[in-house]
Amino acid sequence: AQVILPLLKTDFLKIINACAYQKLNTVSLEISSKYAVGIVCASQGYPDEFSVGYKIYNLDQIKDCLVFHAGTKREGNDILTSGGRVLTVVGLANTMQGALEKALAGAQVVDFENKYYRKDIGSDLLMMM
């Protein structure tokens, strides 16, 4: 969902409302022609044993990406890790390569102790294109 929903041009609330009232057939779905790539920044050791409670740095320095919080919590002014799948950084661009580069750049900027993310995400798709 984290890489699909940003591609929706149709108002998501309108879609949800139409589903709730069984009128989805009245909604015209518009999808962006852009590409989206999501990279999960996880706590090292996930999905097995991992530690939590580490301060997350540089979130305000991530440029041109969407950041979805999953295993995070706020304590005062700080954002801390609170789960194994901490954040997903999503890059959007007109090409797969561009989306991948943006997502990787965002994943590199965010920082917390024991951060782990895969650097090969999407590379298999680029070979097929």
Side-chain angles (χ1 to χ4, degrees), residues 42-68:
S43 293
Q44 192 163 13
Y46 173 83
D48 298 319
E49 285 191 37
F50 54 88
S51 297
V52 297
Y54 299 118
K55 184 174 177 180
I56 302 172
Y57 298 94
N58 304 330
L59 286 170
D60 59 339
Q61 295 179 28
I62 297 175
K63 304 295 181 208
D64 209 17
C65 288
L66 298 170
V67 179
F68 292 92

Side-chain angles (χ1 to χ4, degrees), residues 67-81:
V67 179
F68 292 92
H69 291 247
T72 66
K73 68 178 181 177
R74 180 180 295 275
E75 280 191 9
N77 291 327
D78 296 330
I79 305 294
L80 307 177
T81 63

Side-chain angles (χ1 to χ4, degrees), residues 96-110:
M96 175 69 83
Q97 180 72 40
L100 178 59
E101 288 172 3
K102 286 181 181 184
L104 280 170
Q108 288 171 346
V109 167
V110 68

Side-chain angles (χ1 to χ4, degrees), residues 6-108:
L7 296 175
L8 274 178
K9 291 173 102 176
T10 306
D11 182 351
F12 188 59
L13 186 56
K14 185 176 181 179
I15 296 168
I16 295 298
N17 192 45
C19 287
Y21 292 99
Q22 299 181 358
K23 294 185 177 185
L24 189 56
N25 62 328
T26 67
V27 176
S28 177
L29 291 179
E30 291 184 61
I31 308 292
S32 171
S33 61
K34 291 187 175 194
Y35 291 83
V37 173
I39 297 181
V40 174
C41 294
S43 293
Q44 192 163 13
Y46 173 83
D48 298 319
E49 285 191 37
F50 54 88
S51 297
V52 297
Y54 299 118
K55 184 174 177 180
I56 302 172
Y57 298 94
N58 304 330
L59 286 170
D60 59 339
Q61 295 179 28
I62 297 175
K63 304 295 181 208
D64 209 17
C65 288
L66 298 170
V67 179
F68 292 92
H69 291 247
T72 66
K73 68 178 181 177
R74 180 180 295 275
E75 280 191 9
N77 291 327
D78 296 330
I79 305 294
L80 307 177
T81 63
S82 65
R85 292 173 60 97
V86 179
L87 303 163
T88 300
V89 179
V90 178
L92 297 165
N94 291 325
T95 65
M96 175 69 83
Q97 180 72 40
L100 178 59
E101 288 172 3
K102 286 181 181 184
L104 280 170
Q108 288 171 346

